[in-house]
Amino acid sequence: MAVTTQEQLHARIAELEIQLAQRTRDAAEQDEQLQRYAADLRETFKEERARGQELRRSYMLTVRALASAVEARDAYTGRHAERVAAYGLKIAAAAGMCLGDEPQIEFGFLLHDAGKVAVPDAILFKSGPLTPAERAIVEQHPVTGSEIVRDIDFLGAARDVIRSHHERWDGAGYPDGLAGTDIPLSARVFAVADTLDALTTDRPYRRASSFADARVMIVRDSGTHFDPEVIDAFESLPDLVLERIRQEIG
Ligand SMILES: [Fe+2]
């Protein structure tokens, strides 16, 4: 009886050893399969990232081409959109705007005046004062711009800048007469950058102001034209940072 039990025990052990070996093989196979999945996933991720980068590059080139087309009409402003975008990004970062990797805000800065394509030259370049009817046409450009880009999904938040870049903190802007924080932050930041570039660029009717003078004029309009918090962020940027943008972009 004892012999039988021992034999049974050996047989059971042998059986367990076979099972164990099988399970070890299964585990190794599963491990290998998991490694293959992981490698496939890494490869797919890499490919997706490369595709994403390529897509972003195409978006950026398309937006820059559009912005250049808008600017090509106005010899005086030169590379205004690019400078404004660069100033705007600096002010946005100083204002703590979370821009992350999303380029939409920059797209908005670059395309802010897309709607000016619909303003006739005779009005856009008129040297004298505009009649009320002409002013109404000019003030329509944020609406026209937002209609032009309405269905371009990849522009996302850029559309806020295009629609609201002429709104004022005190509600006296256009086209919607928004006030305070009802104006998208990106547009409040843009308003400061746009004015800075306008003041520091030569125009047919006046010479460019220095950055120091432009800063004084802009800060004076804190709480009326501009969001005071954005002005605080703007004031924290040294002139040197802004002057470097001017020199680099021209
Ligand atoms: Fe504009």
Side-chain angles (χ1 to χ4, degrees):
M1 186 67 186
V3 172
T4 311
T5 306
Q6 209 170 23
E7 275 172 3
Q8 280 174 341
L9 204 60
H10 280 302
R12 182 69 187 135
I13 289 171
E15 199 180 297
L16 283 173
E17 277 172 348
I18 290 167
Q19 278 179 9
L20 183 66
Q22 184 60 44
R23 286 195 186 167
T24 308
R25 276 197 300 277
D26 287 350
E29 214 169 280
Q30 273 177 354
D31 187 48
E32 229 172 81
Q33 209 165 30
L34 278 174
Q35 303 269 13
R36 276 200 300 273
Y37 284 151
D40 281 355
L41 269 176
R42 272 196 297 273
E43 195 51 37
T44 308
F45 180 68
K46 233 167 67 182
E47 283 170 9
E48 278 301 314
R49 199 166 52 182
R51 261 200 293 273
Q53 280 169 349
E54 185 49 39
L55 202 59
R56 272 182 191 200
R57 219 176 76 81
S58 306
Y59 285 165
M60 184 52 92
L61 290 174
T62 307
V63 166
R64 283 191 185 279
L66 261 173
S68 301
V70 173
E71 297 220 307
R73 290 174 72 199
D74 192 347
Y76 290 110
T77 54
R79 294 167 72 191
H80 162 74
E82 274 185 70
R83 286 192 305 272
V84 170
Y87 295 143
L89 290 179
K90 288 281 180 207
I91 300 168
M97 268 183 88
C98 185
L99 297 172
D101 280 343
E102 296 307 320
Q104 275 95 352
I105 301 296
E106 187 176 359
F107 290 167
F109 293 168
L110 286 166
L111 291 176
H112 63 280
D113 270 343
K116 280 200 177 160
V117 292
V119 180
D121 283 0
I123 298 176
L124 197 60
F125 303 123
K126 189 175 174 183
S127 51
L130 298 178
T131 65
E134 289 167 339
R135 182 162 296 282
I137 290 171
V138 171
E139 293 188 354
Q140 191 63 18
H141 80 270
V143 177
T144 311
S146 61
E147 278 165 6
I148 290 172
V149 300
R150 191 183 49 210
D151 297 326
I152 308 178
D153 288 339
F154 81 79
L155 287 178
R159 293 176 287 201
D160 292 340
V161 181
I162 296 168
R163 175 86 191 194
S164 303
H165 70 279
H166 285 291
E167 299 292 356
R168 289 172 49 114
W169 182 253
D170 59 10
Y174 61 88
D176 300 308
L178 300 178
T181 52
D182 283 346
I183 307 165
L185 178 57
S186 52
R188 283 179 264 146
V189 164
F190 177 85
V192 176
D194 195 26
T195 304
L196 176 71
D197 190 58
L199 291 172
T200 54
T201 302
D202 278 330
R203 292 291 163 97
Y205 46 90
R206 60 151 174 78
R207 298 284 300 162
S209 301
S210 68
F211 277 87
D213 289 346
R215 191 187 288 273
V216 171
M217 288 185 258
I218 288 170
V219 171
R220 209 166 42 207
D221 286 343
S222 174
T224 50
H225 189 163
F226 306 116
D227 173 355
E229 280 187 31
V230 173
I231 292 297
D232 287 346
F234 169 62
E235 282 202 278
S236 73
L237 290 172
D239 281 350
L240 197 68
V241 170
L242 305 169
E243 279 165 7
R244 201 174 297 139
I245 290 172
R246 175 86 224 184
Q247 278 160 14
E248 278 169 14
I249 300 177

